């Protein structure tokens, strides 16, 4: 089965978060189930640089304001189609925002362009390529479904995955005429959303199936508290909504073969983590001792509960813990964390920035990873933590609660505990979890049992890829015979 995936980022070419990891890892996992994925990506500079000998398979003399073409590429084993549209994507800065962090003002047009082309490809624009199904990710690709339904690909089944309901691609109604959709599409059962245009909303409306990235989040988004204005629509379409847990790329994230860490190790050689720990101490200017190092690898935002963490840093240090943090995001939160590092030299190290190799080092050398999210569709860093023996301390929400087993007495004695779980949004609960972690860490046998249980847990893509493949088949072949 040929599937066209549409996304705005893909590891390792362009990544701002977990979306890229998922879009990068799913194709190989699906291949094992007979699904051949081709991914359409925007031709950002980093993507275009990786394309060798670009050859146009489709051309657009005027794609929302300038010429564009679609080129084929095989990069890192990934089958790609790249939308080379310099007026939309050939810019210095980020995928969605300029170097100063301000969203590109024409994002509505850039991602409408991506989506319109995706729909065109689904409709057979390239000779010899007729995907049986389209799988779009997040709001940046969601308009694909609108363009499909109002164009040549109206009969091709389409799946939309929600990676984060907080980002919806909501724009003023004034953009509607420029989208090139029929006037009838500006309606409650189309792209209209609270008087404006909603990209994610449109995709949810037109999708044959909607997926999100954990079973818990699939339930949470049906509630007004977590539905972010879309709970009504999602509830109405509930029969088509599936929660399929993300997996991890077992080769990129493998402590026994990771080229980005000083000492490689496995379940039976956990002692080797000590060398990585020394490297973390050096990198984050922490004092060298045996107290536990808690790490954070995160966007520094309200969603991630980083303000809550900043509030408990003093307590963490008083308990005897250390903190090594890498992240970027909210300037206010960055400032608070930098101030905490200045207050607690040698105990708290903060690196404002984004660095893939530091993220691997932290997972391999820190004792625990803290993820205090207010909501978390899936979360990948706790899964990397589990695989690396970096014990996750997580808020009970979304995918975090689905993947970490709290070290309560029962779970500890059954040796099934994999981390510590606390109540989302609550500093007192986080503080108590950190205290429990510090106490447990003093008992090396118990701590190692938690690490090993986590390392044994299987969060590879296998089972989840099978579910996506089954979903694709149910949409392209109808229900399986009894
Ligand atoms: P989200 O996509 O909401 O940010 P996820 O946990 O799904 O959260 O994915 C985050 C991804 O981005 C992980 O691969 C994580 O390691 C990576 N990441 C986040 N912040 C940084 C950073 N500052 N440096 C390196 N990697 C980071
Ligand atoms: C989003 C979510 C995160 C999820 C990732 C990949 O960025 O915030 O929870 O893991 O997408 O699905």
């Amino acid at each position: 089965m040929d599937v066209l995936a549409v996304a705005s980022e893909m590891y390792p070419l362009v990544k701002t978060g977990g979306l890229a990891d998922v879009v990068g890892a799913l194709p190989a996992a699906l291949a094992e189930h007979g699904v051949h994925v081709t991914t359409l990506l925007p031709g950002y500079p980093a993507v275009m640089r990786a394309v060798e000998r670009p050859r146009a398979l489709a051309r657009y003399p005027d794609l929302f304001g300038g010429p564009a073409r679609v080129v084929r590429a095989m990069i890192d084993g990934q089958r790609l189609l790249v939308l080379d549209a310099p007026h939309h994507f050939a810019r210095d800065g980020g995928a969605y925002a300029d170097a100063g962090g301000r969203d590109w003002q024409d994002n509505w047009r850039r991602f409408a362009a991506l989506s319109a082309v995706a729909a065109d490809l689904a409709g057979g624009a390239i000779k010899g390529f007729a995907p049986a199904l389209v799988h779009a990710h997040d709001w940046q690709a969601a308009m694909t479904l609108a363009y499909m339904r109002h164009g040549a690909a109206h009969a091709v089944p389409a799946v939309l995955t929600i990676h984060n309901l907080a980002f919806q691609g909501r724009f003023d109604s004034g953009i509607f005429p420029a989208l090139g959709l029929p006037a009838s599409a500006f309606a409650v059962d189309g792209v209209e959303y609270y008087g404006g245009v909603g990209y994610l909303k449109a995709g949810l409306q037109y999708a044959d199936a909607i997926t999100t990235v954990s079973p818990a989040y699939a339930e949470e988004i049906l509630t007004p508290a977590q539905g972010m204005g879309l709970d009504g629509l999602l509830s109405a379409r509930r029969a088509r909504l599936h929660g399929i847990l993300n997996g991890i790329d077992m080769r990129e994230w493998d402590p026994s073969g990771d080229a980005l860490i000083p000492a490689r190790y496995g379940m039976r050689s956990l002692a080797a983590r000590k060398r990585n720990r020394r490297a973390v101490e050096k990198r984050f200017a922490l004092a060298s001792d045996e107290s536990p190092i808690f790490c954070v690898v995160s966007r520094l935002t309200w969603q991630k509960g980083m303000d809550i963490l900043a509030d408990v840093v003093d307590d963490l240090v008083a308990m005897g813990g250390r903190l090594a943090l890498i992240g970027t995001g909210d300037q206010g939160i960055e400032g608070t964390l930098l101030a905490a590092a200045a207050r607690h030299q040698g105990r708290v190290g903060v690196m404002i920035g984004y660095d893939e190799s530091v993220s691997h080092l932290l997972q391999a050398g820190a004792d625990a990873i803290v993820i205090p999210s207010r909501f978390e569709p899936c979360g990948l860093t706790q899964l990397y933590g589990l695989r690396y023996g970096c014990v996750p301390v997580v808020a009970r929400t979304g995918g975090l609660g689905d993947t970490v087993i709290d070290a309560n007495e029962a779970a500890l004695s059954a040796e099934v505990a994999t981390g510590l779980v606390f109540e989302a949004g609550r500093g007192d609960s986080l503080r108590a979890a950190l205290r429990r972690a510090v106490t447990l860490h003093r008992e090396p046998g118990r701590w190692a049992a938690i690490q090993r249980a986590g390392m044994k847990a299987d969060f590879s893509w296998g089972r989840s890829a099978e579910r996506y493949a089954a979903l694709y088949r149910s949409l392209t072949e109808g229900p399986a015979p009894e």
Side-chain angles (χ1 to χ4, degrees):
M1 184 193 309
D2 271 315
V3 167
L4 174 66
V6 192
S8 55
E9 47 184 282
M10 182 187 222
Y11 181 82
L13 291 169
V14 39
K15 165 168 167 175
T16 73
L19 168 66
D21 290 357
V22 171
V23 172
L26 193 50
L30 281 168
E32 299 191 9
H33 298 277
V35 177
H36 300 281
V37 180
T38 303
T39 306
L40 176 69
L41 282 182
Y44 308 115
V47 178
M48 290 313 299
R49 276 196 299 273
V51 179
E52 286 171 24
R53 283 175 276 110
R55 194 169 64 84
L57 300 179
R59 287 185 185 279
Y60 301 88
D62 179 13
L63 182 68
F64 295 87
R69 57 186 188 156
V70 173
V71 301
R72 193 204 313 271
M74 190 78 183
I75 303 172
D76 271 333
Q78 306 275 12
R79 215 186 324 242
L80 301 181
L81 291 169
V82 177
L83 176 55
D84 181 19
H87 59 303
H88 295 313
F89 303 119
R91 307 176 179 180
D92 297 330
Y96 317 124
D98 64 21
R102 283 169 300 264
D103 279 354
W104 298 114
Q105 282 309 299
D106 56 350
N107 272 344
W108 65 272
R109 200 189 286 121
R110 301 168 76 224
F111 295 108
L114 178 73
S115 299
V117 168
D120 201 39
L121 302 180
I126 296 178
K127 222 173 91 199
F129 180 59
L133 178 141
V134 171
H135 186 167
H137 296 268
D138 270 355
W139 74 265
Q140 295 91 338
M143 285 294 276
T144 302
L145 287 76
Y147 286 109
M148 284 173 72
R149 291 306 168 252
H150 293 284
H154 56 88
V156 177
V159 177
L160 177 65
T161 295
I162 304 168
H163 293 267
N164 194 333
L165 209 51
F167 302 103
Q168 300 189 350
R170 197 170 159 181
F171 302 103
D172 189 85
S173 63
I175 71 161
F176 181 75
L179 291 176
L181 288 164
S184 63
F186 191 76
V188 206
D189 61 355
V191 307
E192 188 274 335
Y193 186 46
Y194 293 111
V197 174
Y199 281 21
L200 185 65
K201 183 268 177 175
L204 296 174
Q205 188 71 52
Y206 291 113
D208 296 295
I210 301 166
T211 73
T212 190
V213 290
S214 72
Y217 195 60
E219 294 289 326
E220 291 166 0
I221 57 179
L222 299 177
T223 66
Q226 298 256 42
M228 309 231 166
L230 287 164
D231 42 296
L233 168 55
L234 287 164
S235 299
R237 309 213 71 208
R238 172 174 207 162
R240 293 173 188 267
L241 173 65
H242 311 265
I244 305 178
L245 193 69
N246 285 335
I248 63 173
D249 187 321
M250 299 290 278
R251 274 185 321 173
E252 287 291 334
W253 293 94
D254 172 12
S256 69
D258 192 330
L260 299 173
I261 62 179
R264 295 184 253 296
Y265 60 95
M267 223 180 298
R268 273 177 289 279
S269 49
L270 280 171
R273 291 182 100 260
K274 287 221 172 79
R275 255 185 73 201
N276 300 327
R277 206 156 179 273
R278 293 291 163 260
V280 170
E281 287 170 346
K282 254 185 128 164
R283 196 73 201 250
F284 285 82
L286 298 177
S288 189
D289 63 34
E290 292 311 310
S291 66
I293 299 179
F294 293 83
C295 77
V296 169
V297 179
S298 183
R299 293 187 280 120
L300 303 179
T301 63
W302 185 87
Q303 177 201 337
K304 299 291 180 179
M306 285 297 136
D307 50 322
I308 306 174
L309 176 82
D311 281 345
V312 306
V313 171
D314 293 350
D315 299 303
L316 175 64
V317 171
M319 286 171 211
R322 290 174 289 169
L323 178 68
L325 175 148
I326 183 165
T328 51
D330 210 277
Q331 283 188 1
I333 298 178
E334 289 179 358
T336 323
L337 290 164
L338 285 170
R343 268 200 313 282
H344 300 291
Q345 282 183 22
R347 307 305 296 175
V348 174
V350 167
M351 207 180 273
I352 300 301
Y354 191 99
D355 188 321
E356 197 73 23
S357 65
V358 172
S359 74
H360 282 246
L361 174 64
L362 285 171
Q363 298 280 12
D367 298 283
I369 181 162
V370 189
I371 311 171
S373 308
R374 286 192 169 82
F375 67 94
E376 194 61 74
C378 178
L380 294 172
T381 58
Q382 83 280 15
L383 302 181
Y384 301 146
L386 290 169
R387 185 112 205 269
Y388 277 65
C390 184
V391 173
V393 180
V394 305
R396 191 190 317 283
T397 183
L400 299 175
D402 278 344
T403 53
V404 179
I405 301 171
D406 180 63
N408 54 43
E409 275 311 319
L412 277 173
S413 38
E415 302 210 339
V416 295
T418 58
L420 291 97
V421 184
F422 63 92
E423 297 318 311
R426 291 201 10 216
D428 57 333
S429 187
L430 168 58
R431 207 175 286 122
L434 293 171
R435 193 177 299 283
R436 278 202 291 146
V438 170
T439 307
L440 277 167
H441 187 261
R442 287 199 198 106
E443 298 179 65
R446 284 198 137 180
W447 190 260
I450 300 174
Q451 289 178 297
R452 280 199 206 94
M455 293 175 89
K456 265 188 230 151
D458 180 5
F459 288 106
S460 63
W461 269 105
R463 174 91 193 87
S464 296
E466 195 180 320
R467 288 199 58 197
Y468 277 112
L471 178 64
Y472 294 170
R473 294 226 155 76
S474 74
L475 297 173
T476 52
E477 295 165 3
E482 288 293 303

